[in-house]
């Protein structure tokens, strides 16, 4: 009779085998058995310690596979932390390490997990240092007087289309920099993940980076302006091709390099070349190196992080951000109406909006919606965004699936209330709600909470349920929150972006001149 540890390891092996063989039926059954075994065993820490002792140094591939299998079964974040630590041993290729790191980032984002700045920065700096050392190149720092004072390089991890929020940020900055008289080059640091680079190292759903354009040079139209772009494949290009690309950008002698929602592999290259500015599209500061670290969205640990950043000699600043209005020749004009979905005018409509609803609507959140709908006869929930999961039978009649809606803002206007599940995204939709004076209910410490402010935040799902019912029953309170939404939008998002970008430019130049 095998002992408990051996039995659990056999279950992990079954999960891995079913996943690799793409046997969904066996995979689902084995994941459930693994979860039940771990839950009942009450020896979770001992299991992880045993795996670490037996596998971490002897078989790092099986170690990471095992930890990802346990994470799929339990959703315990410590598994991701242990995988991150294993990546720091540098025993896997850089391409595979990047692919695994991306899986960790996506899952933390989807689950609304507050990131640990220090641990993320250590891994990101490690990725950047490895990449720089593997290229084996020397990049002399371009002194300020020798730079092209009319050129700014923007870098990002992926550039898709104007329906993609980070892309809108990048293109907004590019457009306004051009209005301020700068030439702009956008560099897309492509790190395409292939099945070969991740399937042998990760259990469960795999996430792949998306890229919207061909590799090489191309030009994009941004309203009445054009911007030059260069997309490079860091994972599949040869060293010589990457070095030539870096040399070509270096020869342009940019005034400064500004990363917006980017990756981390090129951090050491940009910081060695010129003044390096970073801005994440999420809350807080980018967990990486830089000369000027900018934040738009507040995070609870910002004061601690600022101390860390400033201790390295880097500067920090806050900027307000508002995307420009993009002209989309392919845009479909549509005025969404409740009657399109058989929703009555006197129904109270709760909107759940997102691009990743399959991942973001958890079983716990469905229970929240069930409890809300069970208390009132006139509540309807609309799902805006792609979702092909299961809707509980008990509330199917009151949940309306709208699917992908364009224009999104028109669809959102059907709602009386925006309810945000536990996740890190959703800031763009929340901003649209504020603009249209639609109140929001959200948990703490996420993009939506940072967007809408404290008066729309609740502590947990129980309080969320009570708050939604209060919005339905208390019209005086509802009216007050509607006014609060309008005030919040006017205060935080009626932004003079030319002024904000000018502030960043001036600060970057000041740092460059005195560094």
């Amino acid at each position: 009779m095998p002992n408990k540890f051996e039995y659990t390891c056999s279950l992990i092996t079954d999960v891995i085998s079913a996943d690799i063989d793409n046997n969904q039926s066996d995979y689902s059954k084995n994941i459930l058995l693994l979860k039940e075994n771990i839950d009942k065993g009450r020896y979770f820490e001992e299991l992880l310690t045993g795996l670490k002792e037996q596998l971490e140094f002897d078989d790092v591939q099986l170690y990471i596979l095992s930890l990802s299998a346990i994470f799929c079964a339990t959703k315990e974040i410590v598994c991701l932390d242990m995988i991150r630590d294993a990546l720091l041993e540098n025993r896997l290729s850089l391409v595979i390490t990047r692919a695994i790191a991306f899986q960790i980032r996506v899952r933390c984002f989807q689950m609304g997990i507050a990131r640990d700045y220090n641990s993320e920065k250590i891994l990101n700096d490690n990725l950047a240092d490895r990449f720089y050392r593997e290229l084996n190149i020397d990049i002399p720092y371009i002194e300020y007087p020798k730079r092209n004072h009319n050129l700014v390089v923007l870098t990002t991890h992926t550039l898709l289309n104007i329906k993609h929020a980070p892309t809108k940020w990048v293109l907004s900055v590019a457009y306004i920099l051009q209005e301020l008289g700068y030439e702009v080059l956008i560099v897309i640091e492509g790190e395409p993940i292939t099945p070969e680079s991740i399937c042998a190292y990760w259990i469960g759903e795999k996430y792949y980076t998306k890229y919207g354009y061909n590799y090489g040079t191309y030009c994009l139209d941004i309203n009445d302006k054009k911007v030059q772009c260069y997309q490079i494949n860091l994972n599949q290009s040869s060293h010589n091709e990457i070095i030539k690309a870096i040399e070509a950008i270096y020869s342009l002698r940019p005034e400064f390099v500004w990363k917006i929602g980017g990756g981390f592999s090129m951090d050491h290259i940009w910081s060695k070349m010129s003044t390096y500015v970073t801005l994440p599209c999420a809350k807080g500061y980018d967990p990486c190196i830089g000369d000027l670290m900018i934040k738009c969205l507040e995070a609870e640990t910002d004061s601690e992080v600022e101390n860390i950043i400033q201790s390295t000699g880097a500067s920090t600043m806050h900027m307000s951000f508002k995307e420009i209005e993009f002209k989309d020749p392919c845009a479909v004009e549509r005025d969404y109406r409740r009657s399109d979905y058989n929703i009555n005018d006197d129904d109270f409509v709760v909107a759940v909006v997102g691009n990743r609803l399959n991942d973001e609507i958890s079983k716990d959140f469905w229970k929240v919606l069930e409890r809300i709908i069970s208390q009132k006869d006139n509540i309807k929930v609309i799902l805006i965004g792609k979702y092909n999961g299961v809707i509980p039978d008990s509330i199917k009649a009151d949940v309306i699936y709208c699917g992908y809606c364009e224009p999104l803002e028109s669809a959102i206007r059907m709602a009386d209330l925006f309810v945000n599940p536990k996740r890190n995204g959703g800031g763009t939709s929340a901003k649209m709600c504020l603009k249209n004076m639609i109140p929001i209910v959200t948990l703490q410490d996420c993009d939506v909470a940072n967007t809408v402010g404290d008066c729309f935040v609740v502590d947990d799902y129980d309080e969320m349920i009570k708050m939604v019912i209060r919005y339905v029953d208390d019209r005086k309170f509802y009216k007050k929150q509607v006014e609060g939404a309008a005030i919040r939008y006017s205060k935080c998002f009626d932004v003079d972006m030319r002024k904000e970008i000018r502030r960043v430019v001036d600060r970057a130049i000041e740092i460059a001149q005195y560094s």
Side-chain angles (χ1 to χ4, degrees):
M1 179 76 178
N3 63 33
K4 192 72 173 178
F5 179 77
E6 291 174 346
Y7 177 65
T8 305
C9 287
S10 71
L11 291 177
I12 293 171
T13 301
D14 290 342
V15 168
I16 293 171
S17 298
D19 185 77
I20 291 175
D21 293 340
N22 201 25
N23 187 330
Q24 188 59 44
S25 176
D26 282 354
Y27 172 80
S28 300
K29 177 185 68 178
N30 293 331
I31 276 286
L32 183 60
L33 285 172
L34 178 59
K35 183 180 187 308
E36 291 174 347
N37 181 72
I38 293 174
D39 286 348
K40 292 177 180 177
R42 298 182 182 179
Y43 72 112
F44 188 62
E45 290 184 12
E46 288 86 347
L47 171 63
L48 297 182
T49 300
L51 287 173
K52 185 178 178 69
E53 290 174 349
Q54 293 197 20
L55 294 177
E56 184 180 18
F57 295 105
D58 293 334
D59 192 337
V60 67
Q61 179 182 8
L62 184 56
Y63 180 59
I64 291 173
L65 280 170
S66 299
L67 288 171
S68 65
I70 296 170
F71 173 76
C72 286
T74 66
K75 298 297 184 285
E76 289 290 341
I77 307 308
V78 65
C79 299
L80 301 184
D81 293 337
M82 292 175 70
I83 294 172
R84 187 186 288 116
D85 290 342
L87 296 181
L88 292 173
E89 299 295 328
N90 296 340
R91 289 188 290 128
L92 298 173
S93 74
L94 191 51
V95 170
I96 291 172
T97 302
R98 285 175 180 149
I100 295 171
F102 184 74
Q103 307 307 308
I104 296 173
R105 287 191 209 109
V106 171
R107 279 157 179 79
C108 289
F109 182 84
Q110 290 174 344
M111 294 174 65
I113 299 166
R115 67 186 184 189
D116 181 83
Y117 182 87
N118 269 328
S119 61
E120 286 202 27
K121 185 177 185 301
I122 289 170
L123 178 57
N124 296 335
D125 287 351
N126 178 269
L127 291 172
D129 182 62
R130 282 186 67 185
F131 184 60
Y132 179 70
R133 285 188 288 106
E134 286 188 13
L135 287 178
N136 192 28
I137 56 172
D138 180 40
I139 304 177
Y141 189 71
I142 305 170
E143 299 298 334
Y144 185 71
K146 296 180 180 180
R147 298 181 191 176
N148 179 351
H149 304 304
N150 297 314
L151 173 70
V152 173
V153 169
L154 300 180
T155 78
T156 190
H157 183 58
T158 184
L159 202 67
L160 299 177
N161 54 56
I162 58 174
K163 297 176 180 65
H164 178 240
T167 296
K168 290 172 71 173
W169 281 42
V170 175
L171 297 183
S172 295
V173 172
Y175 184 87
I176 294 167
L177 283 171
Q178 288 184 323
E179 284 200 325
L180 294 175
Y182 279 94
E183 299 172 33
V184 176
L185 172 65
I186 301 176
V187 177
I188 301 96
E189 305 170 15
E191 296 178 356
I193 296 171
T194 62
E196 293 77 21
S197 64
I198 193 59
C199 287
Y201 289 86
W202 198 269
I203 295 302
E205 188 171 2
K206 285 82 173 171
Y207 293 92
Y208 298 89
T209 45
K210 297 178 181 178
Y211 297 98
Y213 301 91
N214 294 328
Y215 291 101
T217 303
Y218 60 92
C219 184
L220 278 183
D221 291 322
I222 311 177
N223 294 347
D224 58 335
K225 302 186 185 301
K226 295 182 182 294
V227 62
Q228 292 296 316
C229 302
Y230 182 77
Q231 182 163 286
I232 185 169
N233 187 330
L234 299 181
N235 280 351
Q236 296 168 355
S237 298
S238 69
H239 279 197
N240 285 340
E241 289 171 329
I242 294 171
I243 290 170
K244 283 181 180 179
I246 293 168
E247 288 174 344
I249 297 166
Y250 184 91
S251 69
L252 300 175
R253 298 174 291 109
E255 175 98 305
F256 59 90
V257 178
W258 185 351
K259 176 172 74 170
I260 303 174
F264 302 96
S265 294
M266 298 280 282
D267 284 344
H268 284 198
I269 291 163
W270 303 131
S271 63
K272 290 178 182 295
M273 182 184 298
S274 187
T275 305
Y276 191 31
V277 180
T278 74
L279 170 66
C281 296
K283 59 194 174 186
Y285 295 96
D286 235 348
C288 63
I289 62 171
D291 299 302
L292 175 58
M293 317 293 283
I294 309 172
K295 68 172 180 180
C296 285
L297 302 173
E298 302 288 337
E300 287 186 356
T301 58
D302 279 350
S303 59
E304 301 170 23
V305 172
E306 284 165 0
N307 290 334
I308 296 170
I309 292 171
Q310 291 164 10
S311 71
T312 67
S315 299
T316 59
M317 72 177 289
H318 175 269
M319 73 175 291
S320 298
F321 202 100
K322 179 183 179 182
E323 301 97 337
I324 66 170
E325 294 293 328
F326 292 94
K327 298 173 185 175
D328 184 359
C330 300
V332 177
E333 292 298 325
R334 177 177 173 182
D335 183 18
Y336 287 87
R337 300 177 182 275
R338 292 186 175 197
S339 57
D340 298 339
Y341 300 96
N342 296 318
I343 300 172
N344 298 323
D345 289 340
D346 56 353
D347 284 332
F348 189 92
V349 177
V350 172
V352 181
V353 185
N355 289 324
R356 296 170 291 269
L357 294 182
N358 285 329
D359 301 310
E360 294 169 341
I361 300 183
S362 64
K363 290 181 180 178
D364 287 341
F365 189 68
W366 275 125
K367 290 177 183 177
V368 168
L369 296 178
E370 284 181 298
R371 289 174 61 188
I372 290 170
I373 291 171
S374 69
Q375 295 185 48
K376 294 290 174 181
D377 294 333
N378 65 328
I379 292 179
K380 300 294 182 185
V381 174
I382 57 175
L383 302 183
I384 301 176
K386 292 181 180 178
Y387 179 76
N388 54 21
V390 176
I391 298 174
D393 290 336
S394 61
I395 57 173
K396 252 182 184 173
D398 298 304
V399 177
I400 295 95
Y401 174 61
C402 301
Y404 175 80
C405 294
E406 180 67 29
L408 175 59
E409 193 167 340
S410 173
I412 283 176
R413 283 196 286 266
M414 293 191 292
D416 296 294
L417 186 68
F418 176 98
V419 175
N420 190 51
K422 183 179 180 181
R423 59 177 175 179
N424 272 329
T428 298
S429 302
K431 195 184 299 184
M432 289 181 184
C433 289
L434 294 177
K435 180 181 176 183
N436 290 278
M437 297 185 291
I438 299 169
I440 298 98
V441 183
T442 182
L443 300 176
Q444 307 175 64
D445 198 26
C446 63
D447 290 352
V448 171
N450 291 322
T451 298
V452 302
D454 292 342
C455 67
F456 297 103
V457 173
V458 295
D459 289 334
D460 53 37
Y461 276 157
D462 285 336
E463 188 180 352
M464 178 177 283
I465 294 165
K466 294 175 184 176
M467 186 60 68
V468 172
I469 300 304
R470 184 179 181 188
Y471 273 108
V472 178
D473 289 340
D474 190 339
R475 300 309 295 175
K476 186 175 180 180
F477 172 71
Y478 184 89
K479 183 179 179 181
K480 174 190 169 189
Q481 294 296 88
V482 166
E483 293 169 353
I487 292 169
R488 175 73 178 183
Y489 184 81
S490 176
K491 179 181 177 182
C492 297
F493 302 110
D494 188 9
V495 176
D496 183 345
M497 276 298 287
R498 285 176 64 101
K499 181 179 178 181
E500 289 299 298
I501 300 295
R502 183 78 255 179
R503 286 177 57 234
V504 174
V505 169
D506 290 345
R507 186 72 183 102
I509 291 173
E510 181 185 5
I511 291 169
Q513 289 175 326
Y514 295 101
S515 62

